[in-house]
Amino acid sequence: MRIERIAVKQEIEDLGPVDLDLLNPLIEKYKSKKGNLIPLLQGAQDIYGYIPRPAFEKLAAETGNELSDMYGVVTFYAQFRLNPVGKHIIKVCHGTACHVQNARALTTSLKEALKVDDGGTTEDGLFTLESVACLGCCSLAPVMMIGNETFGKLTGSQAVKIMKKIRISENN
Amino acid sequence: METKVIVGLGSCGIAAGARKVYDKIEAFKEAENLQFELKKTSCVGMCYREPLVEIIDDTGTYLYGEIDEERALELIEKHINQQSPVKEYVVQSDLFETVDNEFTEDQVKITLRNCGYIDPENIEEYEAKDGYRAIKKIAGYSMSRLDVIQTIVESGIRGRGGGGFPTGLKWKFANNNKSDEKYIICNADEGDPGAFMDRSVLEGDPHAVLEGMIIGAYAIEATGGVIYCRAEYPLAIKRLEIAIGQARAKGYLGKNILGIQGFTFDIYIKEGAGAFVCGEETALIASVEGQRGMPRKRPPFPAASGLWKKPTNINNVETLANIPWIIRHGAAEYAKYGTEKSKGTKVFALAGKIKRSGLVEVPMGMSIRDVIFKLGGGIQGGKKFKAVQMGGPSGGCIPEHLADTIVDYDSVNATGAIMGSGGMVVMDESTCMIDVAKFFLDFTQKESCGKCTFCRIGTKRMLEILTNITEGEGEEGDIERLEELSYQIKDNSLCGLGQTAPNPVLTTIKYFRDEYEAHIRDKKCPALVCTKLLTYEVDETNCTGCTVCAVNCPVDAISGARKEIHHIDQDICINCGVCFTKCKFEAIKIS
Ligand SMILES: Cc1cc2nc3c(=O)[nH]c(=O)nc-3n(C[C@H](O)[C@H](O)[C@H](O)COP(=O)(O)O)c2cc1C
Ligand code: FES
């Protein structure tokens, strides 16, 4: 993955202006700390949901980190995103325990219901579907997480039902 | 005594609905103005019974299992208001035996001593359970650094993060390297997918880990501490932050701790960013420094040159949680448990096709069979036990006929698996071992940092061969090719990731060769997992002619009129399995 993440040229969409002032408190906090690169990027992602290009440039200019180092770090760690994500991120666990309890069925059903591939975002921007390795709730396998809420002992259709409930409440 | 009602709010409990149960009880208590104390705790390990609610009154303790919102109100009504406990929901009590006693009676809780018994967000509850007494003992008796290290050496404890290196010895090396700046790091990256004991300890007893770090810092003269915790554990991070704040306020962290002159130490949390290889110690250090998490060559070991090139000691969460107990009770008390070369107890995370999944802590030397069948209650749904996976992506599958192997580092290593962090994923006859091997290779292949050619490309080639085998494209010689690649990857990789990545493949070849051969020669998957190797047929007795399978078939291989029995044309069928998953009447047979 690490290799694939680097080898595939990341398409960076232009989404218009982003409010860069939001970064100021973060930069203040970490500016003079050793090893600040990862917390800075994590903080930026918390603000925007992903890391927009202008944010990289501002961080580079004001913290003294090199753009190339930043790109290297962002493409190494699975957590970082270079493109916007949906409002709700659905993380389906594909750890060992969930795998043997048929986590594949969850992903397959969700893919079909959301009409996206693994890693993709729905057209209405509501959901992003992701696979993760182990959420630490292996005793409730198979497990998925939406936002900060974890759901266990699921079947494909139950997973879809939970997603649809969120969609209905969003559309009202 | 005021009656206590305690709700288990670990991640697993919350996922099962415990937060809602807590809120419900709280609202009810307020609305009815009831007299009892409502408290929070974390996971006691009985994840299979979540959500758990414990009621402690003058008569005794009652742990209730599988309590949803409705049952919670029933409990309060009956147990508190009418003083008649609801026996049918009790899973554990100090008054009578239950079926769940099998799960607990052989356990010895040292690491998990407080998990599920105290409120992890309250330092006083930890102190009431002899918390911070170990560091006070060190200060009070003026135990020297060498005394502390000697106690840890004599206890025989070995690192619980997977490597099994003697902890006392590691501390000795770090102590020997003099420097004005030194670090102690707690490895809370818990990368093995299928293990969750570190999460449970951090959520349930964060102060035990902090106290372990403080003792370690004293022993090696560390000036700074870092906890490297994976970002997937938000609750653990939150509770650690609370615990660190409380420890600072009480003077367990800071300057001249407990009056020990010159002992100044503080701890910070670093959140991981999602990379399995960062569990490896040199990669972890690179990541803390803000770089890509690439392992480097050792020596120099971190004990000589670690974080910011200063002497650094790295220990796992579980290792550190044991330290205060050992200091308080003495080395001999700890070494009483376990086998000759593996002392003490070990926590195992039981998951997969097991009846009682959760966390157990047993003395080293118990047989795997006892852990799975006695504590774990055996296999779900009356199926046959096939194998248990230990050690995650670095480990292997131990088959049924070796289930009498005892759990200690050397015995588990002898099977080709490793103890690892203590995840036990149980598999039954419906698990395909090639699929499992492929699953792990897919994992390590994605997580390889790409530095070593053999690990980067070798794992990819192995994954391709395994994929071919599961899709019916396997060829004679594939097994030998897998073995050859395995040995080359093991020999030519820098870090533990590559050196152990082939283990899941090697152990499944060793113990389940016939299953590989069935896939390769007969193009059959005996466990009926690999969809491309199965034949799909309509079961005429169950088919209602609802047409769902025909509508969903991507290649139009299914024919039949509405309300009439359908038929699958085997010449057209591509074995995708869609009809099987779509059919609501179990009318698609696989063979
Ligand atoms: C690829 C790889 C992943 C590892 N992941 C972890 C981990 O998640 N947690 C951990 O404690 N140790 C992990 N280790 C072991 C650490 O390198 C190190 O040995 C350990 O943290 C030392 O602590 P201990 O002596 O207390 O076990 C990993 C090692 C390798 C090679
Ligand atoms: S394997 Fe899915 S939560 Fe651990």
Side-chain angles (χ1 to χ4, degrees), chain B residues 41-47 50 52 54 63 92 103 107 109 112 115-117 200 359:
Chain B
T41 187
S42 199
C43 174
V44 271
M46 282 190 171
C47 306
E50 298 280 10
L52 291 161
E54 187 168 34
L63 182 63
Q92 213 185 1
F103 183 76
Q107 293 197 46
K109 294 206 172 181
L112 302 177
C115 288
Y117 301 108
S200 217
L359 279 192

Side-chain angles (χ1 to χ4, degrees), chain B residues 49 53 55 57 59-67 71 74-80 82-101:
Chain B
R49 290 288 199 192
V53 175
I55 300 187
D57 61 18
T59 60
T61 66
Y62 304 81
L63 182 63
Y64 292 104
E66 289 160 56
I67 302 300
R71 282 185 177 183
E74 183 188 342
L75 276 188
I76 302 294
E77 191 53 50
K78 290 197 176 146
H79 192 139
I80 307 260
Q82 300 166 14
Q83 272 139 40
S84 79
V86 194
K87 256 190 151 175
E88 59 190 292
Y89 303 152
V90 174
V91 293
Q92 213 185 1
S93 169
D94 55 0
L95 301 174
F96 49 87
E97 293 217 341
T98 67
V99 285
D100 294 85
N101 273 32

Side-chain angles (χ1 to χ4, degrees), chain A residues 1-4 6 34-35 37-39 42 72-73 75-80 94-97 99-101 104 112 133-140 149-150, chain B residues 12 15 47 193-194 196 199 230-231 270-274 278 287 289-293 308 351-353 357 380 435 439-440 443 445-448 450 460 582:
Chain A
M1 185 213 279
R2 260 135 260 302
I3 296 305
E4 276 157 23
I6 306 164
K34 273 200 291 194
L37 184 48
I38 293 175
Q42 283 171 329
V73 164
T75 49
F76 186 85
Y77 295 100
Q79 185 187 38
F80 294 114
H94 286 266
T96 321
H99 180 80
V100 301
Q101 300 283 38
R104 257 180 296 206
E112 202 171 292
C134 197
L135 295 164
C137 292
C138 321
S139 48
L140 302 174
E149 210 173 335
T150 314
Chain B
C12 40
C47 306
F196 51 94
R199 170 185 70 71
R230 67 196 297 240
K270 278 271 178 186
E271 250 181 77
C278 287
S287 181
E289 290 175 349
Q291 302 161 22
R292 297 160 63 95
W308 310 116
K353 312 264 173 123
S357 53
Q380 283 171 354
D435 179 65
F439 165 80
F440 281 115
F443 181 86
Q445 206 278 316
K446 283 179 181 157
E447 293 297 336
S448 165
K460 182 131 186 129
K582 286 287 164 187

